[in-house]
């Protein structure tokens, strides 16, 4: 590797390496890629002590930096989480290979037979914060889809990501694929991020995974196409026709299971008709669990809630804090989410099929749920094995970005001496 102080040269070398590796991956067999990922999972499990030691360094760095408890939770690895990372790697390995899949085919009167088939994007750049598991998830999904990837993890997870990356490379090279198929930017220097965003000769798409600041920077500065992943301002609307037992279970899980993930609920919307007749025991549950419930209007009568301000709506807390608001039925919920949401994940709790259909039709979030926790907004839970992130844009990739969405397509056209008059 070149002198790490010469960031443009370092990044250009990574880009050239990735381009060469992408050419090899594009023709790699499904079995070879599967074997590489399974071998990587075995390497991770064998390296648990080393990965934990690397994570200890990162946790100390994060505490010294003043990271919040929720961010430290994102960063922390323990043996169960590491084994979960390995299991996710095996789950990706077990997915069907998307490359070469025939999406559609048809014949033309002129004798042409046309197939639209999936093909790798080429080189993917992934820029992410804190969570070291993204190193493996992103690397695995890109490899499965036949793409080379350049990973730039957060400074907080530098050592953990390095240890996990080494295991991935061990698996990749064990089956004869190039080590450069999955590369990790070897410096904390932020200039590497700026350089990645300009690498149009080498990188085909950038995937940012992190907070609003990171994603905003990437969207503003990137000259490479971007799969946008904005804030997870997730809403749960509890309708007048909600089953209260379901509402209490789902609301509590959606907020408190893990507060620091993008699928955590950040605002609870309560139908006025429900509140007038049954109250809001699900808000009382949150208060009892230690959540700072910031409510306005009549919801302030719920014991233990605090007063909401205008700034609390449309905010991603990533903490034991949630906003709460009364709305006038499903139309009121839709209007509020349209104003304050981030097109990530929104949920309705209702037993009324017509109301649920109106909620689904009236919103354009990447993920819409009914009677299920927003914490299921995850590629692994969707059966994809893992995800790079939740894309909230409308072009190409939406929702959990798995291996299939890391492909494009091309047309294969065959004739028998066909000429155009």
């Amino acid at each position: 590797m070149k002198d790490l102080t010469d960031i443009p040269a370092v990044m250009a070398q990574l880009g050239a390496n990735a381009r060469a590796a992408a050419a090899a991956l594009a023709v790699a067999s499904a079995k070879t890629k599967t074997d590489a990922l399974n071998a990587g999972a075995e390497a991770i499990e064998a390296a648990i002590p080393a990965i934990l030691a690397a994570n200890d360094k990162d946790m100390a760095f994060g505490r010294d930096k003043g990271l919040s408890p929720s961010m430290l939770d994102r960063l922390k690895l323990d043996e169960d989480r590491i084994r979960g990372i390995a299991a996710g790697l095996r789950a990706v390995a077990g997915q069907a290979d998307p490359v070469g899949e025939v999406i559609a085919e048809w014949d033309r009167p002129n004798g042409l037979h046309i197939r639209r088939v999936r093909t790798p994007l080429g080189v993917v750049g992934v820029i992410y914060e804190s969570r070291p598991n993204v190193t493996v998830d992103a690397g695995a999904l890109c490899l499965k889809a036949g793409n080379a990837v350049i990973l730039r993890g957060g400074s907080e997870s530098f050592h953990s990501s390095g240890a996990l990356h080494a295991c991935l490379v061990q698996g990749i090279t064990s089956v004869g694929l190039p080590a450069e198929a999955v590369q990790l930017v070897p410096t904390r220097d932020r200039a590497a991020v700026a350089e990645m965003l300009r690498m149009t000769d080498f990188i085909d798409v950038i995937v940012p995974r992190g907070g609003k600041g990171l994603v905003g920077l990437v969207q503003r500065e990137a000259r490479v196409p971007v799969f946008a992943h904005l804030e997870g301002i997730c809403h749960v609307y509890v309708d007048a026709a909600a089953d209260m037992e379901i509402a209490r279970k789902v609301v509590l899980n959606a907020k408190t299971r893990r507060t620091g993930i993008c699928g955590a609920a950040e605002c609870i919307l309560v139908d006025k008709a429900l509140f007038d007749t049954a109250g809001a025991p699900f808000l009382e549950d949150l208060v009892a669990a230690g959540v700072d419930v910031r409510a306005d209007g009549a919801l302030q009568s719920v014991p233990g809630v605090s007063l909401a301000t205008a700034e609390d709506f449309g905010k991603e807390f990533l903490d034991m804090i949630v906003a709460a608001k009364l709305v006038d039925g499903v139309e009121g919920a839709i209007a509020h989410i349209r104003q304050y949401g981030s097109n990530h994940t929104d949920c309705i709790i209702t037993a009324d099929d017509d109301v649920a259909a109106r909620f689904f039709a009236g919103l354009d979030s990447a993920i819409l749920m009914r009677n299920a926790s927003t914490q299921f907004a995850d590629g692994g839970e969707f059966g994809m094995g893992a995800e790079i992130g939740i894309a909230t844009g409308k072009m190409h990739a939406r929702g959990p970005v798995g291996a299939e969405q890391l492909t494009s397509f091309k047309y294969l056209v065959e004739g028998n001496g066909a000429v155009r008059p």
Side-chain angles (χ1 to χ4, degrees), residues 108-358:
R108 296 290 296 146
N110 55 17
L112 297 181
H113 180 70
I114 303 173
R115 288 176 291 157
R116 185 189 302 133
V117 301
R118 293 196 185 281
T119 187
L121 292 171
V123 178
V124 180
V126 184
I127 302 170
Y128 53 102
E129 297 174 329
S130 294
R131 296 176 67 175
N133 64 291
V134 177
T135 302
V136 176
D137 291 350
L141 289 168
C142 287
L143 185 78
K144 186 73 172 182
N147 301 301
V149 61
I150 300 173
L151 302 167
R152 202 288 183 178
S155 60
E156 301 89 351
S157 62
F158 186 79
H159 297 289
S160 307
S161 293
L164 290 166
H165 171 254
C167 296
L168 269 182
V169 170
Q170 184 178 331
I172 290 165
T173 56
S174 73
V175 298
L177 291 175
E180 294 79 12
V182 180
Q183 297 179 96
L184 187 67
V185 174
T187 175
R188 283 186 167 120
D189 195 322
R190 291 187 177 183
V193 174
E195 200 65 31
M196 281 183 74
L197 301 181
R198 297 190 292 263
M199 291 171 61
T200 54
D201 289 342
F202 299 116
I203 298 177
D204 294 287
V205 66
I206 291 281
V207 182
R209 182 166 178 176
K212 185 176 182 179
L214 169 66
V215 177
L217 169 70
V218 170
Q219 289 182 313
R220 287 192 307 272
E221 304 294 334
R223 294 172 58 188
V224 179
V226 175
F227 285 170
H229 172 130
L230 296 177
E231 296 172 285
I233 305 173
C234 303
H235 294 78
V236 178
Y237 164 58
V238 186
D239 181 59
D243 179 304
M244 191 60 76
E245 183 179 348
I246 290 175
R248 295 180 72 166
K249 180 169 59 175
V250 169
V251 168
L252 186 64
N253 183 267
K255 179 66 246 182
T256 65
R257 174 187 165 270
R258 289 188 71 183
T259 59
I261 65 173
C262 61
E266 304 291 16
C267 184
I268 311 301
L269 301 176
V270 184
D271 191 346
K272 290 179 181 177
L274 175 75
F275 186 68
D276 289 344
T277 59
F282 40 86
L283 295 185
E284 297 178 39
D285 294 340
L286 291 175
V287 171
V291 177
D292 177 6
V293 179
R294 300 179 180 179
D296 72 353
L299 289 179
Q300 291 176 48
S301 64
V302 176
V305 307
S306 59
L307 176 64
T309 67
E311 289 73 28
D312 290 321
F313 299 103
K315 184 171 183 178
E316 187 179 33
F317 296 107
L318 298 175
D319 204 344
M320 288 287 278
I321 306 169
V322 72
K325 186 178 184 65
L326 282 179
V327 293
D328 189 8
V330 68
E331 296 299 335
I334 290 169
H336 181 95
I337 295 170
R338 283 177 174 170
Q339 180 176 355
Y340 293 103
S342 62
N343 292 330
H344 191 291
T345 301
D346 297 294
C347 169
I348 181 172
I349 309 296
T350 187
D352 189 318
D353 292 341
D354 291 337
V355 170
R358 179 69 192 98

Side-chain angles (χ1 to χ4, degrees), residues 41-42 44-49 51-52 77-91 136 164:
E42 292 176 8
I44 287 172
E45 290 176 335
I48 286 175
I51 296 169
L52 288 173
L77 294 175
D78 55 28
E79 184 169 341
D80 286 344
R81 286 188 178 182
I82 295 172
R83 291 194 183 280
I85 291 171
L89 194 49
R90 290 191 175 96
V136 176
L164 290 166

Side-chain angles (χ1 to χ4, degrees), residues 27-36 93 95-99 144:
V27 296
S29 71
K31 183 180 185 304
T32 298
K33 292 183 287 184
T34 296
D35 289 348
Q95 298 289 306
D97 193 311
V99 179
K144 186 73 172 182

